């Protein structure tokens, strides 16, 4: 007999005997996406967005029949005709909100062939659809149920608490500042078209503490087709420029999205990724990046007097290497030491089978500046003059902010295109298998020629022109210099350490014993460790920050990659790598198909990583939801976990392939 519920075993044996029925423990819940867990989740639970107050039905029903249109306790506030276009006018997929808190008004926004539905100030985007709902029974729509040829309509509802929530907040004038004791929660460049380039920057100031709105950020870039807030955010304002001086195309507007402060969420400020999963980090944790291992460094790199002979690739002293790194840098104002400039190079092994025998070619990245040296000297001006960090310490926030680099802490020098991109490209080129696990259409490169020429000089390759770092006649150096180096810093960016760590894991594609990609990525965090944290969180009502942070960080990686400033450089670096593959194809024997291979690989690399990240994140959210729903004893952290999970669920649409330029 037990005297307290928390004395029972994880298999709930005592409770089973007491209640006479079988109970499933949290530790018995499978975490894989193909497990029974996801199959058991009801459609209603998913469509309600994990305890949101509104949901959209999945079936066409008679909207005039209150017995079938909404569940008990919910009121019909609109409908979606997307699956019911051939049905009668009074049939649709019902949109229902809890009667006790239903919004006072809702409208489908977006019209014309290119719908671009966007909610107005004080409104929340609940759902999107290419069809939307019409004006049946008084429901509002800007364009009836005519289907969009491009873009989507947005179902927008008024946040009835917004006016009360922001009663003590206001926009400053141009070049204005918040008063002492007030909090600036958002900025805009020229909200009312009265500011100039010399007299701009407006702040949204709140007098109350804590501020009623958090994580405010502008969404929309380029043609601003993606300019909607998530369903956990309220639209504070819309404007063509937002917080920059670049306007949307086609007269569209960016949206300023904020999370109401009433949405409680766990705090993740104390989570150390290395404590969660030591394989995320290594024993060389410094300003070059925590993913840098001692075994990745050239032996004795700090000993400038030592001679170097590395696999026959380079012969000479470290000073020779440093001199070669600097030979194209004409900045006479450089004052930092040679040791600092000669940042370590990383080993990047490429394994493949040649006539049934395993072969390994260890490629080498180019050296690159540490976080502390990144912005120094003439070359430092090539770097994006911002640091990309998480906008909030809340476990429910995945937003990224571009801030003054001098005010950023816990950052790394990050390669916008990961260093592992090059060895993974050659894994595909040598095996013929893409990261998706599918065969590529291009011809594989000659394996014997790769073994011979990957790191050796090919005199003709120098005809392609000099490179800023390394030997222009070596394929290895040309490709890695394009990614980023001490003397080519276009592809380097100061980024939060945890974003850098999780980004590396998101693109860690698994291969088999034949060194062919399997179509899977390495789990963002080891599943057994994460399951143990889940069990602890449910059983003892603790550790919710460790439980939720890996989910949050996986989403944040894609928010980072889709950031307009990061994306612009990502596309530049991709194009630079592609240019070098064309040079290699022209001058290096056996490499003719490398450019066409890169086109196939690059598309699969980003699309598959996004798809696998979404699948992994959905499975983790489902596992947490199920564990907290099915537990016999309600954990003390149940409410904050559910509210945070709701915020994360509503950010899943941030996991998407960046808008990649075509390679040419």
């Amino acid at each position: 007999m037990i005297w307290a519920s928390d004395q029972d075993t994880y298999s709930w044996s005592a409770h089973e005997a007491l209640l006479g029925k079988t109970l499933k423990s949290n530790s018995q819940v499978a975490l894989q996406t193909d497990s029974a867990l996801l199959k058991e989740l009801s459609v209603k639970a998913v469509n309600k967005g994990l305890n949101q107050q509104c949901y959209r039905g999945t079936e066409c029903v008679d909207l005039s029949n209150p017995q079938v249109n909404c569940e008990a306790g919910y009121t019909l506030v609109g409908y979606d005709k997307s699956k019911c276009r051939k049905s009668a006018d009074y049939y649709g997929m019902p949109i229902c909100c809890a009667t006790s808190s239903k919004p006072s008004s809702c409208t489908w926004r977006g019209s014309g062939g290119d719908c671009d539905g966007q909610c107005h100030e004080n409104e929340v985007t609940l759902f999107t659809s290419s069809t939307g709902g019409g004006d049946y029974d008084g429901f509002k729509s800007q364009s009836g149920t005519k289907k969009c040829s491009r873009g989507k309509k947005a179902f927008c509802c008024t946040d009835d608490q917004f006016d009360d929530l922001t009663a003590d907040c206001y926009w400053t004038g141009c070049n204005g500042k918040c008063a002492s004791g007030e909090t600036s929660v958002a900025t805009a460049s020229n909200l009312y078209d009265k500011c100039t380039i010399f007299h701009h920057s407006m702040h949204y100031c709140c007098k109350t503490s804590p501020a009623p709105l958090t994580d405010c950020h502008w969404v929309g870039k380029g043609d601003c087709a993606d300019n909607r807030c998530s369903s956990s955010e309220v639209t504070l304002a819309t404007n063509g420029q937002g917080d920059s001086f670049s306007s949307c195309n086609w007269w569209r507007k960016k949206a300023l999205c904020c999370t109401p402060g009433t949405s409680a969420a766990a705090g993740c400020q104390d989570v150390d990724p290395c404590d969660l999963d030591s394989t995320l980090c290594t024993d060389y944790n410094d300003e070059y990046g925590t993913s840098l291992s001692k075994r990745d460094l050239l032996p004795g790199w700090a000993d400038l007097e030592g001679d170097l002979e590395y696999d026959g690739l380079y012969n000479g002293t470290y000073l020779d290497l440093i001199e070669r790194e600097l030979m194209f840098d004409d900045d006479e104002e450089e004052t930092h030491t040679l040791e600092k400039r000669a940042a370590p190079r990383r080993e990047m092994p490429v394994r493949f089978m040649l006539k049934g025998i395993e072969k390994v070619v260890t490629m080498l990245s180019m050296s690159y500046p540490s976080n502390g040296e990144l912005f120094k000297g003439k070359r430092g001006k090539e770097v994006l003059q911002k640091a990309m960090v998480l906008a909030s310490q809340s476990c429910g926030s995945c937003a990224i902010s571009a801030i003054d680099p001098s005010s950023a802490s816990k950052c790394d020098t990050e390669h916008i295109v990961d260093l592992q991109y090059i060895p993974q490209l050659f894994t595909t080129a040598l095996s013929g298998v893409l990261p998706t696990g599918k065969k590529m259409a291009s011809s594989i490169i000659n394996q014997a020629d790769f073994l011979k020429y990957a790191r050796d000089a090919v005199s003709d390759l120098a005809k392609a022109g000099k490179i800023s770092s390394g030997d222009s006649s070596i394929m290895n150096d040309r490709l890695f210099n394009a990614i980023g180096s001490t003397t080519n810093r276009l592809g380097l960016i100061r980024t939060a350490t945890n974003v850098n760590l999780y980004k590396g894991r998101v693109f860690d594609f698994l291969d088999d014993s034949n060194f062919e990609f399997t179509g899977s990525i390495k789990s963002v965090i080891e599943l057994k460790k994460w399951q143990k944290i889940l069990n602890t969180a449910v059983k003892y009502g603790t550790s919710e920050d460790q439980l939720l942070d890996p989910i949050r960080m996986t989403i944040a990686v894609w928010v980072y990659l889709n950031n307009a400033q990061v994306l612009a450089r990502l596309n530049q670096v991709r194009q630079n790598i592609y240019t070098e593959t064309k040079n290699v194809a022209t001058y290096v024997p056996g490499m003719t198909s490398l450019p066409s291979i890169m086109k196939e690989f690059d598309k699969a690399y980003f699309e598959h990583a996004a798809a696998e990240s979404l699948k992994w994140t959905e499975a983790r959210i489902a596992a947490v939801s199920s564990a907290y729903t099915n537990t016999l004893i309600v954990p003390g952290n149940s409410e904050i976990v559910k509210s945070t999970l709701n915020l994360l669920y509503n950010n899943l649409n941030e996991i998407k392939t960046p808008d990649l330029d075509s390679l040419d």
Side-chain angles (χ1 to χ4, degrees), residues 282-507:
T282 63
D283 55 357
Y284 194 88
N285 190 341
D286 75 351
E287 58 186 348
Y288 292 107
T290 50
S291 59
L292 181 61
S293 169
K294 285 181 179 177
R295 65 178 177 273
D296 292 331
L297 307 183
L298 290 176
W301 72 279
D303 179 12
L304 293 178
E305 300 301 323
D307 289 335
L308 171 66
E309 184 172 344
Y310 190 76
D311 285 352
L313 176 57
Y314 301 118
N315 289 286
T317 66
Y318 281 95
L319 292 177
D320 293 332
L321 282 177
I322 296 166
E323 182 180 5
R324 188 172 69 185
E325 288 295 333
L326 301 178
M327 65 188 299
F328 297 109
D329 191 344
D330 57 358
D331 184 4
E332 296 180 355
E333 297 181 0
E334 298 285 2
T335 58
H336 37 298
T337 65
L338 291 177
E339 294 93 329
K340 286 286 188 180
R341 294 299 306 276
R345 302 184 69 177
R346 296 184 59 182
E347 296 181 8
M348 311 296 293
V350 180
R351 293 179 170 84
F352 58 99
M353 303 298 291
L354 178 60
K355 297 180 179 180
I357 300 174
E358 178 183 340
K359 298 291 182 181
V360 182
V361 171
T362 303
M363 304 186 80
L364 288 174
S365 74
M366 304 313 296
S367 65
Y368 53 93
S370 67
N371 180 45
E373 300 293 309
L374 184 59
F375 294 98
K376 292 185 178 180
K378 181 179 179 180
R379 300 292 183 181
K381 295 180 175 63
E382 300 173 0
V383 182
L384 177 67
Q385 301 299 301
K386 296 287 185 180
M388 308 305 293
V389 300
L390 288 158
S392 169
Q393 295 178 337
S394 165
C395 294
S397 171
C398 309
I400 295 289
S401 289
I403 66 172
D404 183 344
S406 63
S407 63
S409 60
K410 296 183 179 179
C411 288
D412 293 339
T413 295
E414 205 267 318
H415 291 77
I416 299 175
V417 174
D418 267 27
L419 289 174
Q420 60 188 331
Y421 182 97
I422 298 299
Q424 289 175 335
L425 168 63
F426 281 109
T427 296
T428 286
L430 293 162
S431 68
V433 180
L434 295 164
T436 57
K438 297 179 180 179
K439 292 286 186 180
M440 66 180 182
S442 304
S443 300
I444 65 172
I445 63 173
N446 187 287
Q447 296 168 330
D449 285 335
F450 176 74
L451 189 64
K452 181 177 181 180
Y453 297 118
R455 305 184 317 178
D456 286 353
V458 177
S459 58
D460 282 351
L461 186 54
K463 296 177 182 178
K466 292 181 178 180
I467 56 176
S468 62
S469 287
D471 190 327
S472 60
S473 65
I474 296 177
M475 175 168 59
N476 175 99
D477 291 12
R478 297 196 76 96
L479 292 170
F480 277 107
N481 182 64
I483 277 189
S485 67
T486 301
T487 54
N488 175 28
R489 304 187 193 180
L490 174 71
L492 306 179
I493 190 167
R494 178 171 287 179
T495 304
T497 296
N498 49 2
V499 175
N500 186 25
L501 287 174
Y502 280 98
K503 177 170 171 273
R505 185 58 62 85
V506 159
F507 288 98

Side-chain angles (χ1 to χ4, degrees), residues 24 49 61 64 94 122 131 141 162 212 256 303 334 451 454 490 503 513 564-565 568 612 617 655:
K24 180 179 287 188
V61 301
S64 65
N122 300 9
T131 304
S141 174
F162 184 85
L256 179 55
D303 179 12
E334 298 285 2
L451 189 64
L490 174 71
K503 177 170 171 273
S513 58
Q565 297 177 86
E612 288 294 301
T617 307
I655 302 179

